Amino acid sequence: MKNESLLFFRMIRDFLTVYLPRQKGASPNTIKSYKNTLNLFIDYSKEKLDIPSTSLSFQHTTQEHVESFLEWLFKP
């Protein structure tokens, strides 16, 4: 796993385990929802964009990438 990818996943972990519950006081269901959506984003990146999770980093979280994920997520 590359350094950029490690940083990406560490920040996601901290977001889910520190920021949301401790700083924002988010409910367990909210945290679970964020986690599920982030997992879908990772799966989408692997399956549709051929970006392995070991390479996923902040450079892949562009507006275009996120918009294409949302279109994929919500298409009928």
Side-chain angles (χ1 to χ4, degrees):
M1 192 174 280
K2 298 177 184 175
N3 285 340
E4 297 90 18
S5 186
L6 282 173
L7 176 64
F8 181 74
F9 283 100
R10 284 181 182 152
M11 290 188 79
I12 288 175
R13 181 198 62 211
D14 290 347
F15 175 76
L16 293 170
T17 62
V18 177
Y19 178 75
L20 286 177
R22 296 180 190 168
Q23 294 180 347
K24 291 300 280 185
S27 75
N29 286 335
T30 298
I31 297 166
K32 183 178 179 182
S33 178
Y34 274 69
K35 182 179 179 181
N36 289 340
T37 303
L38 287 165
N39 282 331
L40 285 170
F41 182 75
I42 293 165
D43 290 344
Y44 169 80
S45 298
K46 279 192 291 192
E47 294 173 18
K48 300 296 181 184
L49 303 177
D50 294 323
I51 303 169
S53 59
T54 56
S55 297
L56 193 60
S57 69
F58 285 108
Q59 74 180 9
H60 299 109
T61 56
T62 62
Q63 180 177 343
E64 181 181 339
H65 186 160
V66 173
E67 286 176 352
S68 66
F69 164 68
L70 292 173
E71 287 175 12
W72 170 81
L73 188 62
F74 291 109
K75 76 175 157 177

